[in-house]
mmCIF file of all heavy atoms in Angstrom:
data_model
loop_
_atom_site.group_PDB
_atom_site.id
_atom_site.type_symbol
_atom_site.label_atom_id
_atom_site.label_comp_id
_atom_site.label_asym_id
_atom_site.label_seq_id
_atom_site.Cartn_x
_atom_site.Cartn_y
_atom_site.Cartn_z
ATOM 1 N N PRO A 21 14.148 -48.111 -7.775
ATOM 2 C CA PRO A 21 15.418 -47.483 -7.873
ATOM 3 C C PRO A 21 15.706 -46.560 -6.624
ATOM 4 O O PRO A 21 14.733 -46.052 -5.986
ATOM 5 C CB PRO A 21 15.311 -46.550 -9.073
ATOM 6 C CG PRO A 21 14.208 -47.070 -9.894
ATOM 7 C CD PRO A 21 13.283 -47.668 -8.961
ATOM 8 N N VAL A 30 19.163 -34.851 2.103
ATOM 9 C CA VAL A 30 19.936 -35.879 2.967
ATOM 10 C C VAL A 30 19.309 -37.179 2.520
ATOM 11 O O VAL A 30 18.070 -37.329 2.511
ATOM 12 C CB VAL A 30 19.801 -35.540 4.348
ATOM 13 C CG1 VAL A 30 20.332 -36.670 5.256
ATOM 14 C CG2 VAL A 30 20.511 -34.252 4.719
ATOM 15 N N SER A 62 7.207 -39.869 8.607
ATOM 16 C CA SER A 62 7.903 -39.844 9.884
ATOM 17 C C SER A 62 8.826 -41.152 9.937
ATOM 18 O O SER A 62 8.358 -42.303 9.571
ATOM 19 C CB SER A 62 6.977 -39.817 11.058
ATOM 20 O OG SER A 62 7.697 -39.657 12.225
ATOM 21 N N ASP A 108 22.775 -38.935 21.641
ATOM 22 C CA ASP A 108 23.314 -40.172 22.062
ATOM 23 C C ASP A 108 22.464 -40.826 23.063
ATOM 24 O O ASP A 108 22.070 -40.171 24.041
ATOM 25 C CB ASP A 108 24.763 -39.982 22.559
ATOM 26 C CG ASP A 108 25.844 -39.547 21.438
ATOM 27 O OD1 ASP A 108 25.404 -39.786 20.238
ATOM 28 O OD2 ASP A 108 26.833 -38.931 21.814
ATOM 29 N N LEU A 192 -20.220 -42.110 28.177
ATOM 30 C CA LEU A 192 -20.627 -40.788 28.697
ATOM 31 C C LEU A 192 -20.682 -39.721 27.661
ATOM 32 O O LEU A 192 -19.889 -39.873 26.687
ATOM 33 C CB LEU A 192 -19.695 -40.294 29.878
ATOM 34 C CG LEU A 192 -19.637 -41.160 31.078
ATOM 35 C CD1 LEU A 192 -18.414 -40.698 31.920
ATOM 36 C CD2 LEU A 192 -20.951 -41.172 31.801
#
Side-chain angles (χ1 to χ4, degrees):
V30 171
S62 185
D108 292 342
L192 298 171

